[in-house]
Amino acid sequence: MISIAHGLNLSPDDRDRKPFVDQRDHRGYPLHVAPVKRLRWILALLAITLGGAAGVLGSILYQQYWTQLPPMDGLLDYRPPVATRVYTHDKRLIDEFYFQKRYLVAVNDITPLVQNAFIAAEDSDFRRHRGIDPRGIARAFLANLKAGTVVQGGSTITQQVVKSLVLSPERSYRRKLREIMLSLRLEKELSKDEILYLYLNEIYLGDGNYGVGAAARSYFDKEVSELNAGEAALLAGLPQAPSRYSPTRNPEGARKRQLYVLRRMHEEGFIDTRTYASASSHHAEVQPRGKRTGKVGSYYTEYVRRYLAEAYGREATYHKGFEVYTSMDLDMQAAAERAVRDGAYNIDALLGYHGPVGHMEADELDKRLAADRADESLETLNENGDYEGVVVAVNGDIIRVAVGPQQSSIDVAGLEWKPGVSPRGFRVGDLVELVAEVHDDKPTLLLRQEPQVQLALLSVEPSTGQVKAMVGGFDFELSEFNRATQARRQPGSAFKPFVYAAALDNGYTPASVILDAPIQYVDHVSVWRPQNYSRRFYGPTTLRRALEKSRNVVTVRVVQDLGVDTVVDYVKRFGFSDNIGRNLSIGLGTSEVSLKDLLRAYTPFADGGILHEPVFITRVEDARGYVLEENLPEPVRVLTEQTAYLMSRLLRGVVENGTGRGVRALGRPTGGKTGTTNEHRDAWFVGFTPDLLTGVWVGYDDSREIGTRGTGGRVAAPVWLDYMTSAHEGLPVRDFEMPPGITCVQINHETGERASLQDTDPRLECFRSGSEPEHEAQTWLDIDEAYSEELDLQQLAPASLEIFPLLP
C-alpha cells in the first residue's frame, strides 16, 4: 500500500511532520490551502443560495400574504353592533334591543384593576411584546401541560383582536401566518390602550354578553368602574371558555377559574397580598338569570321599539347603541300593570265562570295524577301562581282539586256562571284553572280562570303630555296587540265633554236648561228616537246635570242646536282626525278613536285649556352621546282658561254626583267621564287630577258584548281607581286653579237660576264673568205630556244617517 507521505512525494525528513499543515503539493502550494478554500467557496455558495431563497420566499410571502392582508378599517374605525338601551324618566334601565348585547366602554372608564385582570389571565406580557409573544406561547404550553387542560392561551391579546375582528374562524397555517403579520402591523398602528379598548369591548363573555360593559351589567348589575377584584377576576376568566366557566350555568367551574385569575394577578403584582386574600375568600354575587330577564313595561317598550325602527331603521335600532330616554315612571308602570291584571280577573269573575277547560276519563286521570306527583316543580307552589288542576272528588257543592301533591277543597255553591254557559256543575276528571294562595308556607288552591276580556290603560302628566304608564292588554306574552294605541273603538259617552265644551263656547253656561223629553229625527227611510240609558226622560235639565248623569237626549239636542258642522269643526281642535262622523250622534261617541287620541283630547280639561301631544320618548342619543332628537312639550291652546276651568268643574260633578261616583274614594279633586257603547261592547273611564290624567278601556277584541254589567262605571272605573290610588301615593293634594274671569254664585240646581232665600238646597256654580244668572229661580210647571218634535234630517246630516240605540 502506498502511504499518504509517499503519495505526496515527501522526503524522509518530512515524513514525521503533520500532514496538511505546512506540506506543499507538486505545484508548491501548501497542502491545507486547497481544502479550506473549497470550504469557503461552498459556504459562500450556500449563503448566496439561502439568501436568494430567502429573498424569493420573502417576495412570495410579501406578494401572497403581506400585500393581500385584509384591510384594518374595522379596527381603526371600530363600530361594532351595540345594544340600544331604553330608560325611564329617572334613567332606570327598562329594556334593550340588540343582535349582540354590547355597551361600548371607553378605556379610561375601565379601571386598571379590570384591565390587569384580563392581562393576567390572557396575556401577561401584553404591555411589553410587539404583537406576538414566543415566551408566552412557551409559558402557556408548559402551564397547560402541568394542568392537564387548557388554562392559558398561546395567542396574545393583539392576536385575539385580529382573530375576532379581521380574520375568519378557519384553522390553518395560512390563517395563523396572516394573524401574526396583522398583529405586528396592528401594534404599529395603534397604542396598547387602543388595542385593549378593542379587546375589552369585543370579547364574548357568555350569556349573550359582548364586552365588559354588558357583562358587568348582566352578571353584577354594575358599571365596569364599580367592579371589585373578585368580580373583575370572574369576568377575566370567561374568554377562555364562556360556557364552561359561566357563573350562571357552572358556578363551581367559574369559581375555580376566578381563583386562578386572582392568583395570576397576585403573581404579576397587579394586586397585593391583602386584596388577593380577601377576593379569594369571598364569592362574587351573580344576579340570577330570572332577575336579569324579568321586566316591566313590555307594551310601552314595544311602542318605543316600533317608533325607533320606523324613524331610524331596524338595523340602526339593533346596532347603533342608541340611548333612549322615555317618560315612563317605573313605579306607576308597575302599578298600572297590577291594576290591569287584577282588574281583568275581577271583571272576569263579575261576568261569570265559563267552565272547566277540559276533561279526562278515569285511565287518563290516573296517569295525569301520577305524573303530577312525580313532578318536583309542583312540590312548592308560587304565591299567585297560575296552575291547571284536576277535580279529584265532588261532594255536593264541595269539589276537591289537585295540583301535584297539593290538594284543596273549594265551595262552589255561590259560583256564578257566565250567561250562555250551561252550569252543568263539576265532575271528577275536569281540568280547571287555579291560583295558589300561600299562607304560612301552606298553599290554598282557588278557582281563577284566565280572563278573556281585555283592558288597556294609559296615563299621562297633563301639564306636559309625558306618558307615565301604558298597558296595552292583559298579558303581552299572550298578545302584543296594543289596545291603548292600535285599537280604535267607539268611546260612547266619554266623548260628550267635547260637545259640552263647544256649548260653553257658544252661549251656554253650566246652568243652561235643556229639555230632556222624547224627540225623533226622520229621514226618508227611518226614524231615530234617541234614548237615555235608563229609558226614561227627566224634563228640563241643566247642562251640568245632563253631563253628570250622561243624558243622551240632552246631548243630541245640544248638537242639534249648535249645528253638526259647528260641533265637528270644534272637536277637531282636540286632535281628532277627519274620521269623526258628521251626524247628530257625534256627541254620543259613535266615531271610533284610540285611547291615546282620547287621552290627548282630555289634556285641555286638566291643564287650563292646553293641548299636549302624548310624549313617550323625551330624548334619543347615539352611542357617543350626541342628541339625535329631543321631544319637549309643545303646548297648544285650544280652550280659554275660563272654558277649561268650567269643564273641569263639570267633570268633577260627574265624579261627585254622577256616573263616576265610584272613584270618589281617591280622596282628592277629580274630574272624569264614563263611557259605555252600544250593546255594552266597550266600557271606558277617563279621569284626571291636577297631577295625572288616566284612561281605561275594557272590552273584547272581537267586539262581542261585555254583558249588562259591563258599564264604564262598573268595570273601567275600578281599574282606574286602583291605579290612581297607587300613582298618587306621596303626592300632596292639589286643587284646580281658578283663573281670572270666573264668577261663582249660588243657584237652584233644578232651574239654573240664582238661588232665592227659600231654596233649601242651593248649589255653588261658576260662570264666565258676566254670564251668571241675574234672576231668582221660579217654580217649574210639571210636564204631563210627552214632548215630541219632528225634524227633517236632510237639513241636519247626510242622508246616510246611521241609527244607534245609544247608552251613557
Side-chain angles (χ1 to χ4, degrees):
M1 175 176 282
I2 299 174
S3 67
I4 295 177
H6 174 76
L8 294 177
N9 297 320
L10 298 179
S11 66
D13 295 333
D14 295 328
R15 291 174 183 170
D16 294 332
R17 298 179 182 174
K18 296 179 180 179
F20 307 114
V21 176
D22 56 1
Q23 308 299 318
R24 298 176 180 271
D25 62 12
H26 65 284
R27 292 172 296 177
Y29 294 107
L31 291 176
H32 69 283
V33 171
V36 171
K37 189 174 182 179
R38 284 195 296 271
L39 180 60
R40 287 177 178 172
W41 277 101
I42 292 172
L43 291 175
L45 182 60
L46 181 61
I48 292 171
T49 303
L50 291 176
V56 173
L57 179 61
S59 177
I60 293 173
L61 291 176
Y62 181 79
Q63 292 295 327
Q64 294 295 320
Y65 291 93
W66 189 265
T67 60
Q68 297 185 27
L69 288 175
M72 299 176 63
D73 297 345
L75 297 176
L76 303 180
D77 186 20
Y78 181 60
R79 296 184 181 182
V82 180
T84 288
R85 291 188 282 187
V86 184
Y87 301 92
T88 62
H89 77 104
D90 55 354
K91 299 183 179 180
R92 289 194 275 182
L93 181 68
I94 49 174
D95 207 350
E96 301 165 293
F97 312 133
Y98 54 81
F99 292 132
Q100 289 185 358
K101 185 180 178 183
R102 176 187 288 106
Y103 316 136
L104 285 181
V105 184
V107 72
N108 292 334
D109 295 329
I110 303 174
T111 62
L113 182 68
V114 175
Q115 295 182 28
N116 289 334
F118 281 87
I119 289 173
E122 293 294 311
D123 185 4
S124 59
D125 289 327
F126 173 71
R127 296 289 184 185
R128 295 184 288 270
H129 65 64
R130 295 188 177 181
I132 60 174
D133 185 15
R135 289 189 306 171
I137 295 173
R139 184 171 54 250
F141 175 77
L142 294 175
N144 296 338
L145 188 63
K146 180 180 179 181
T149 185
V150 177
V151 295
Q152 287 188 25
S155 297
T156 65
I157 284 177
T158 309
Q159 288 176 271
Q160 293 183 55
V161 169
V162 167
K163 191 187 309 181
S164 176
L165 291 174
V166 181
L167 297 176
S168 66
E170 67 171 312
R171 293 178 175 269
S172 67
Y173 290 112
R174 182 176 184 272
R175 194 200 65 79
K176 192 67 176 179
L177 184 58
R178 288 156 67 90
E179 176 189 307
I180 292 172
M181 289 180 172
L182 283 170
S183 298
L184 294 170
R185 184 174 169 184
L186 182 61
E187 289 274 350
K188 294 180 179 181
E189 297 280 354
L190 300 179
S191 69
K192 289 291 186 180
D193 279 350
E194 289 171 329
I195 294 172
L196 201 59
Y197 165 78
L198 296 175
Y199 175 75
L200 293 177
N201 280 289
E202 181 67 20
I203 194 71
Y204 181 64
L205 296 172
D207 280 21
N209 299 297
Y210 290 82
V212 292
R217 277 291 191 97
S218 178
Y219 293 124
F220 307 116
D221 194 23
K222 290 183 177 183
E223 299 295 337
V224 176
S225 58
E226 300 171 333
L227 297 178
N228 59 39
E231 293 162 343
L234 190 145
L235 295 187
L238 292 173
Q240 189 67 237
S243 296
R244 187 194 314 163
Y245 298 128
S246 168
T248 58
R249 294 183 173 88
N250 183 14
E252 184 178 346
R255 174 65 174 163
K256 290 180 180 179
R257 181 67 178 169
Q258 177 197 34
L259 293 175
Y260 164 77
V261 176
L262 286 169
R263 185 172 70 254
R264 290 288 303 124
M265 293 174 71
H266 184 241
E267 291 170 352
E268 293 293 330
F270 294 147
I271 55 176
D272 56 30
T273 302
R274 182 177 180 180
T275 303
Y276 172 57
S278 175
S280 298
S281 61
H282 291 88
H283 288 263
E285 294 185 8
V286 176
Q287 292 188 97
R289 288 178 61 82
K291 179 180 178 182
R292 290 183 281 126
T293 55
K295 67 179 182 180
V296 173
S298 296
Y299 282 106
Y300 200 122
T301 57
E302 174 62 11
Y303 181 90
V304 170
R305 188 197 66 79
R306 288 172 180 262
Y307 169 81
L308 294 174
E310 183 176 346
Y312 300 99
R314 185 173 182 271
E315 191 79 7
T317 299
Y318 285 86
H319 276 86
K320 296 298 184 181
F322 297 144
E323 299 282 292
V324 184
Y325 298 90
T326 70
S327 305
M328 181 195 292
D329 182 298
L330 192 60
D331 295 330
M332 291 184 183
Q333 180 66 37
E337 293 184 10
R338 286 194 303 270
V340 166
R341 188 168 182 82
D342 292 346
Y345 282 118
N346 292 337
I347 294 168
D348 200 70
L350 177 70
L351 299 179
Y353 186 67
H354 40 76
V357 296
H359 182 78
M360 286 184 168
E361 298 302 330
D363 56 340
E364 294 179 299
L365 178 60
D366 292 339
K367 293 178 182 178
R368 167 68 179 265
L369 294 175
D372 284 355
R373 284 193 292 269
D375 188 346
E376 295 181 358
S377 66
L378 298 177
E379 292 181 0
T380 303
L381 302 185
N382 298 322
E383 173 71 20
N384 286 323
D386 294 317
Y387 298 93
E388 183 183 82
V390 182
V391 177
V392 294
V394 178
N395 184 12
D397 291 329
I398 305 298
I399 64 173
R400 187 117 183 120
V401 295
V403 174
Q406 316 293 340
Q407 293 194 8
S408 294
S409 294
I410 302 175
D411 187 347
V412 295
L415 186 66
E416 193 166 343
W417 292 69
K418 187 174 183 178
V421 176
S422 176
R424 63 168 177 76
F426 292 91
R427 297 177 295 164
V428 172
D430 280 345
L431 301 178
V432 292
E433 295 173 287
L434 303 166
V435 62
E437 291 188 355
V438 182
H439 302 284
D440 298 327
D441 296 329
K442 296 181 179 179
T444 300
L445 297 170
L446 303 173
L447 287 175
R448 187 173 78 174
Q449 57 201 0
E450 181 178 291
Q452 297 177 355
V453 69
Q454 285 290 350
L455 293 85
L457 183 151
L458 194 65
S459 183
V460 306
E461 186 176 66
S463 60
T464 63
Q466 293 188 356
V467 179
K468 296 302 178 182
M470 176 171 66
V471 185
F474 167 67
D475 190 333
F476 183 80
E477 296 299 322
L478 298 176
S479 170
E480 296 183 12
F481 181 68
N482 191 332
R483 296 153 189 87
T485 60
Q486 295 175 291
R488 300 184 67 82
R489 308 293 286 256
Q490 291 182 351
S493 294
F495 199 84
K496 286 177 180 174
F498 309 112
V499 173
Y500 284 65
L504 293 178
D505 277 344
N506 285 276
Y508 283 74
T509 75
S512 295
V513 175
I514 304 95
L515 186 63
D516 184 1
I519 189 172
Q520 64 183 16
Y521 300 99
V522 182
D523 66 7
H524 296 302
V525 296
S526 60
V527 176
W528 179 43
R529 299 182 179 90
Q531 296 286 329
N532 292 320
Y533 181 64
S534 63
R535 302 292 174 176
R536 297 174 56 196
F537 302 93
Y538 298 89
T541 305
T542 63
L543 195 75
R544 165 178 289 282
R545 192 66 172 168
L547 186 59
E548 290 177 349
K549 298 299 184 180
S550 202
R551 300 279 164 76
N552 292 332
V553 174
V554 170
T555 304
V556 172
R557 285 183 179 275
V558 170
V559 174
Q560 172 195 325
D561 181 50
L562 297 177
V564 171
D565 288 341
T566 298
V567 174
V568 170
D569 292 341
Y570 187 90
V571 301
K572 285 183 179 180
R573 69 178 62 185
F574 296 95
F576 295 112
S577 60
D578 292 334
N579 64 346
I580 299 299
R582 288 183 175 271
N583 52 59
L584 285 171
S585 67
I586 179 177
L588 306 182
T590 55
S591 298
E592 293 181 341
V593 300
S594 69
L595 177 57
K596 179 169 74 78
D597 291 342
L598 190 60
L599 219 63
R600 172 189 59 201
Y602 265 72
T603 56
F605 303 145
D607 190 40
I610 303 298
L611 180 75
H612 294 278
E613 288 290 333
V615 177
F616 293 87
I617 298 173
T618 57
R619 191 170 75 257
V620 179
E621 299 175 357
D622 67 13
R624 299 182 181 183
Y626 294 108
V627 177
L628 301 178
E629 70 172 89
E630 191 165 17
N631 299 308
L632 301 175
E634 297 181 358
V636 178
R637 178 166 292 284
V638 297
L639 298 176
T640 65
E641 291 182 285
Q642 293 74 30
T643 299
Y645 181 74
L646 295 178
M647 282 303 305
S648 71
R649 285 186 58 86
L650 289 178
L651 292 168
R652 285 181 66 176
V654 174
V655 172
E656 293 167 1
N657 306 302
T659 57
R661 290 188 303 274
V663 305
R664 285 181 298 181
L666 186 61
R668 57 181 69 217
T670 302
K673 186 68 187 77
T674 56
T676 308
T677 62
N678 188 40
E679 298 179 355
H680 298 85
R681 298 181 188 277
D682 303 274
W684 304 75
F685 186 78
V686 181
F688 56 89
T689 68
D691 299 297
L692 212 55
L693 165 64
T694 300
V696 173
W697 168 86
V698 178
Y700 290 102
D701 287 338
D702 58 4
S703 295
R704 69 182 122 140
E705 293 183 33
I706 303 173
T708 56
R709 297 179 176 181
T711 64
R714 190 158 188 179
V715 296
V719 178
W720 183 95
L721 178 61
D722 185 6
Y723 163 72
M724 291 288 272
T725 300
S726 297
H728 281 83
E729 286 182 1
L731 295 179
V733 176
R734 295 198 300 137
D735 203 347
F736 300 96
E737 295 183 7
M738 180 188 295
I742 295 293
T743 300
C744 299
V745 299
Q746 296 284 348
I747 69 166
N748 182 302
H749 65 90
E750 292 182 351
T751 66
E753 300 289 346
R754 275 185 184 267
S756 66
L757 295 177
Q758 290 74 35
D759 278 321
T760 58
D761 187 23
R763 305 283 175 85
L764 184 68
E765 187 62 85
C766 295
F767 301 85
R768 185 179 283 106
S769 295
S771 66
E772 62 271 19
E774 299 178 356
H775 305 290
E776 292 185 357
Q778 304 295 319
T779 303
W780 285 107
L781 297 175
D782 293 332
I783 298 179
D784 295 324
E785 297 182 1
Y787 177 86
S788 66
E789 179 179 348
E790 292 190 8
L791 295 174
D792 186 356
L793 278 181
Q794 297 295 328
Q795 301 175 6
L796 297 174
S800 58
L801 175 70
E802 293 186 66
I803 297 177
F804 299 88
L806 300 156
L807 302 173

